[in-house]
């Protein structure tokens, strides 16, 4: 009897679970859901995804062959004003030549409680917009009406495409809690997909094998005495794999400072087509490992073949190389020449958009056009040069072998002094100083024979900011002084980009407001165009709010507006690595003249800190000689990326920096 009861209980639980899973249905919004004031597991949440269900099916029709059809339905709860952003939903789509995705919204409603009853307001046609982003991308936008605190929003969308190279990405985790997220794929046996799961929370998955068939209809006409049309049908059987991924009660993604791309850590699913095996046809392998991915890309007509073209630039480049003796000189000549000939049109891509010859002629091209051309020019100059596939910071880290992991290409030149990485798409880039967007862990170098190797893109050399500052303090608290700021490498790259195209008066106004509303005069910037030299910024300044005069004493922070006043690392624990982008050193040499009739009552003590494994070090030394104070401060971070295991150490390190740099000098009347 006990066994029977246990079996019955198990069946009952399974039935209840199944019913619970089927409760999620558009249009079935309850008063209890609408009355809920806060998320039961996250009271800070401004909104929540109550459920999101979707499927992607590869289906056959006689007109288009196999197509990919995706349908998603979502229910969202709004708790606070900050959650109103979820009243605007966007679905991106792609179009390229004959391949165009189509997107449609349906069943879109806003639900509220009005006079104790559920009010249902439909999104009308004027709440749906179609927007062109560029010549390859568009987006369908949906805006809900009557949204307020407590509202529930529901909608469904469908995306249809002939391109089955990859399934749409499925994000289980959002910036708000997600109660239930389910995604199902329907894949015929002719296709094999590489599946990549990202994040720290992994879904449960179940797999079913379903017998399916395709019916073909053929039309035949006979031309006897009377024309007759006959139809013949044939059927092909195949196996469909249905895989369902499910996650429940998913916490919100929490933003943190110094994260290169939070999507690298979002619980999500990516699937790319890796093998095609049609009946009675050779198996086609698209991607298997990094070597095969690189070889596949290199063999594209818009990639490897473009590297072999050089006739269009030889006559112009050859005279410029005549006086270049060393490899470094040749590299600089080629880099500057490429920059002068083709400007970036703001489109990414490792393959050529126009082709190198057309881009050269039109003086404009995408990243592939520019940097494959740069690689060909380096080879023409006699250098051992190769393209390097890159995934930009916005595109995410390329962890798993797949063709869509990369969206960018740079050039590499091997010299006796080491490998030099180059990018001609930015006017401020230099040898081994790439645009910040490319500093994303690893790239993939492809040689002429199609073989490849992993390339570390993380800079190892410190980029420095060195500040020399002298200032006088007047008895009434007015501060006047001079500043000379020198930046190298990536710090110089950033400094050049900050002032580029900006009127000097506008730049100085921002600088004044940023630095405690000082007044700047005698401003000068040098080496802003010479990418091989440090930028040097110098100016005089006056400040009336840089110290406090209280009871005959003067209180002043010796670093003035250069002090770190807040610790950027406040979380008790860190979920994601800290990504500074590059190692750096901030160094300050400050000379302070105290006013006549005053003496030092107290000074911040000198201090030094060192993190383990030479991750970083901090030195603070302040001394006094007569009426002059001398301060030297150095903060040096030797690693571009700090692991989560090192986070507590980094957090305490920056706490020590803030504590020391916010201490004040106290001057008293003699």
């Amino acid at each position: 009897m006990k066994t029977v009861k246990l079996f019955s209980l198990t069946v009952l639980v399974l039935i209840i679970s199944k019913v619970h899973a089927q409760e999620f249905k558009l249009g079935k919004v309850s008063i209890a859901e609408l009355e809920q004031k806060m998320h039961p597991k996250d009271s800070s949440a401004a909104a929540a995804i109550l459920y999101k269900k979707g499927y992607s099916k590869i289906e056959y029709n006689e007109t288009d062959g196999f197509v990919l059809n995706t349908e998603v339905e979502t229910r969202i709860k709004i708790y606070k004003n900050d959650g109103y952003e979820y009243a605007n939903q966007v679905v991106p789509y792609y179009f390229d030549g004959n391949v165009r995705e189509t997107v449609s919204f349906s069943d879109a409603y806003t639900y509220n409680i009005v006079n104790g009853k559920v009010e249902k307001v439909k999104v009308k046609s004027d709440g749906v917009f179609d927007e062109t982003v560029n010549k390859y991308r568009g987006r369908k936008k949906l805006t809900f009406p009557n949204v307020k605190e407590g509202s529930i929003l529901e909608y469904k969308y469908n995306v249809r495409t002939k391109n089955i190279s990859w399934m749409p990405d499925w994000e289980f985790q959002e910036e708000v809690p997600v109660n239930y997220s389910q995604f199902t794929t329907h894949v015929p046996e002719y296709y094999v997909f590489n599946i990549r799961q990202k994040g720290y929370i992994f879904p449960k998955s179940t797999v079913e094998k379903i017998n399916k068939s395709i019916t073909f209809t053929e039309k035949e006409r006979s031309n006897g005495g009377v024309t007759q049309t006959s139809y013949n049908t044939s059927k092909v059987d195949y196996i469909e794999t249905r895989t369902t991924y499910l996650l429940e009660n998913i916490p919100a993604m929490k933003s943190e400072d110094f994260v290169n791309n939070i999507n690298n850590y979002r619980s999500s699913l990516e699937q790319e087509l890796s093998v095609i095996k049609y009946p009675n046809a050779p198996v086609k392998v698209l991607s298997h490992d990094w070597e095969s991915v690189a070889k596949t890309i290199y063999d594209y007509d818009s990639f490897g073949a473009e590297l072999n073209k050089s006739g269009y630039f030889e006559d112009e480049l050859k005279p410029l190389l005549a006086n270049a003796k060393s490899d470094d000189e040749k590299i600089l000549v080629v880099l500057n020449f490429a920059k002068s000939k083709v400007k970036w049109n703001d489109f990414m891509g490792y393959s050529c958009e126009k082709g190198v010859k057309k881009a050269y002629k039109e003086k404009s091209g995408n990243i592939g056009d520019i940097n494959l051309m740069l690689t060909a020019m380096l080879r023409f100059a006699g250098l051992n040069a190769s393209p390097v596939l890159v995934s930009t910071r916005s595109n995410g880290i390329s962890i798993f072998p797949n063709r869509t992991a990369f969206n960018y290409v740079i050039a590499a030149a091997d010299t006796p002094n080491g490998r030099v990485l180059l990018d001609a798409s930015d006017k401020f880039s230099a040898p081994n100083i790439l645009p910040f967007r490319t500093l994303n862990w690893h790239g993939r170098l492809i040689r002429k024979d199609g073989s490849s190797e992993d390339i570390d893109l993380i800079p190892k050399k410190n980029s420095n900011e060195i500040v020399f500052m002298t200032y006088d303090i007047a008895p009434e608290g007015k501060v006047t002084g001079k500043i000379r700021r020198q930046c190298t490498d990536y710090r110089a790259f950033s400094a050049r980009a900050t002032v580029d195209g900006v009127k000097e008066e506008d730049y100085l106004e921002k600088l004044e407001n940023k630095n405690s509303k000082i007044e700047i005069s005698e401003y000068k910037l040098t080496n802003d165009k010479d990418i091989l030299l440090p930028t040097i910024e110098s100016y005089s300044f006056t400040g009336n709010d840089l110290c406090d005069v209280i009871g005959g004493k003067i209180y002043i922070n010796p670093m003035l507006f250069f002090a770190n006043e807040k610790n950027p690392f406040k979380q008790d624990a860190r979920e994601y690595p800290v990504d500074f982008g590059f190692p750096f050193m901030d160094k300050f040499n400050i000379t302070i003249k105290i006013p006549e009739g005053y003496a030092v009552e107290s000074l911040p003590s000198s201090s030094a800190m060192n993190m383990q494994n030479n991750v970083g070090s901090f030195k603070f030394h302040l001394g006094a000689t007569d009426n002059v104070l001398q301060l030297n401060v150095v903060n040096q971070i030797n690693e571009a990326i700090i692991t989560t295991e090192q986070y507590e150490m980094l957090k305490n390190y920056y706490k020590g920096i803030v504590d020391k740099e916010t201490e004040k000098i106290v001057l008293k009347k003699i």
Side-chain angles (χ1 to χ4, degrees), residues 481-499:
K482 294 180 180 294
I483 289 173
R484 183 178 185 270
R485 175 174 170 257
Q486 177 177 302
C487 296
T488 68
D489 297 335
Y490 282 100
R491 286 287 174 81
F493 186 110
S494 177
R496 291 184 175 100
T498 299
V499 300

Side-chain angles (χ1 to χ4, degrees), residues 176-189:
V176 295
V178 178
N179 294 2
Y180 184 96
S181 182
Q182 177 184 305
F183 181 57
T184 303
T185 60
H186 301 234
V187 181
E189 63 182 270

Side-chain angles (χ1 to χ4, degrees), residues 3 24 42 54 58 143 254 267 291 343 350 483 559 567 574 613 619:
T3 304
F24 302 113
D42 186 352
I58 298 176
T143 299
K254 300 297 184 183
S267 178
E291 285 286 338
K343 304 301 180 186
Y350 52 70
I483 289 173
M559 294 185 69
N567 188 347
R574 177 88 179 192
N613 302 320
K619 296 177 183 177

Side-chain angles (χ1 to χ4, degrees), residues 296-515:
T296 298
I297 292 172
Y298 196 86
D299 289 341
Y300 290 165
D301 290 340
S302 57
F303 194 94
E306 297 290 332
L307 292 168
N308 298 322
K309 301 173 182 177
S310 61
Y312 60 96
F313 64 74
E314 289 181 3
D315 290 344
E316 289 188 87
L317 179 57
K318 191 173 182 179
L320 301 177
L321 290 166
N323 296 322
K325 305 303 181 186
S326 67
D327 285 350
D328 289 342
E329 289 176 350
K330 291 177 183 178
I331 286 171
L332 199 58
V333 167
V334 170
L335 179 62
N336 289 334
F337 179 74
K339 286 182 182 181
S340 69
K341 287 299 177 181
V342 185
K343 304 301 180 186
W344 183 33
N345 62 11
D346 294 330
F347 286 101
M348 302 284 191
Y350 52 70
S351 293
C352 289
E353 176 190 19
K354 299 178 178 180
V356 289
K357 293 176 69 174
K358 187 176 181 182
Y360 187 85
K361 181 180 179 181
E362 296 182 355
K363 299 185 178 298
S364 172
N366 76 337
I367 293 297
D369 290 320
I370 292 171
N371 287 330
L372 292 181
M373 180 189 305
L374 173 65
T375 307
M377 290 176 176
L378 292 166
R379 289 179 177 178
F380 174 74
L383 294 155
N384 180 18
S386 303
V388 179
L389 297 168
V390 171
S391 175
T392 59
R393 296 171 77 87
S394 63
N395 192 54
I397 298 167
S398 54
I399 298 174
F400 305 100
N402 66 102
R403 290 165 291 124
T404 55
F406 304 108
N407 68 327
Y408 203 97
V409 64
I410 60 174
D414 290 324
T415 75
N417 297 323
R419 180 168 284 156
V420 180
L421 301 179
L422 302 155
D423 186 337
S425 68
D426 193 297
K427 61 183 175 181
F428 298 129
S429 69
N432 283 328
I433 304 296
L434 303 172
F436 191 73
R437 58 181 172 266
T438 67
L439 304 184
N440 197 28
W441 293 28
H442 293 270
R444 195 82 190 170
L445 180 145
I446 313 179
R447 302 182 188 89
K448 291 180 181 180
D449 61 3
S451 63
S452 66
E453 68 171 289
D454 184 76
I455 295 294
D456 188 352
L457 297 173
I458 300 172
K460 300 299 183 287
K461 180 184 175 185
N462 283 6
S463 294
N464 302 329
E465 179 175 347
I466 302 173
V467 174
F468 297 89
M469 179 166 65
T470 62
Y471 63 86
D472 296 357
I473 306 170
E476 71 277 10
K478 184 178 180 181
V479 174
T480 57
K482 294 180 180 294
I483 289 173
R484 183 178 185 270
R485 175 174 170 257
Q486 177 177 302
C487 296
T488 68
D489 297 335
Y490 282 100
R491 286 287 174 81
F493 186 110
S494 177
R496 291 184 175 100
T498 299
V499 300
D500 184 46
V502 179
K503 291 181 179 179
E504 184 176 293
E505 62 228 50
D506 294 336
Y507 170 72
L508 293 182
E509 183 180 357
K510 289 182 180 179
L511 187 61
E512 289 174 336
N513 291 332
K514 176 185 173 185
N515 293 342

Side-chain angles (χ1 to χ4, degrees), residues 71-84:
E71 189 167 282
V72 179
E73 56 184 56
T74 306
R75 177 179 294 172
I76 302 168
K77 170 72 177 183
I78 307 298
Y79 294 111
K80 303 175 183 179
N81 287 344
D82 291 345
Y84 287 4

Side-chain angles (χ1 to χ4, degrees), residues 534-576:
T535 58
I536 300 175
E537 187 178 57
S538 59
Y539 53 89
S540 299
F541 71 94
T542 302
N544 295 310
D545 298 310
L546 298 176
C547 59
D548 298 312
V549 181
I550 303 172
K553 295 182 179 182
I554 299 174
Y555 300 82
I556 187 167
N557 185 317
M559 294 185 69
L560 302 181
F561 34 76
F562 288 113
N564 286 290
E565 296 182 340
K566 293 182 180 179
N567 188 347
F569 308 108
K570 299 175 183 178
Q571 299 95 336
D572 292 333
R574 177 88 179 192
E575 292 189 23
Y576 323 118

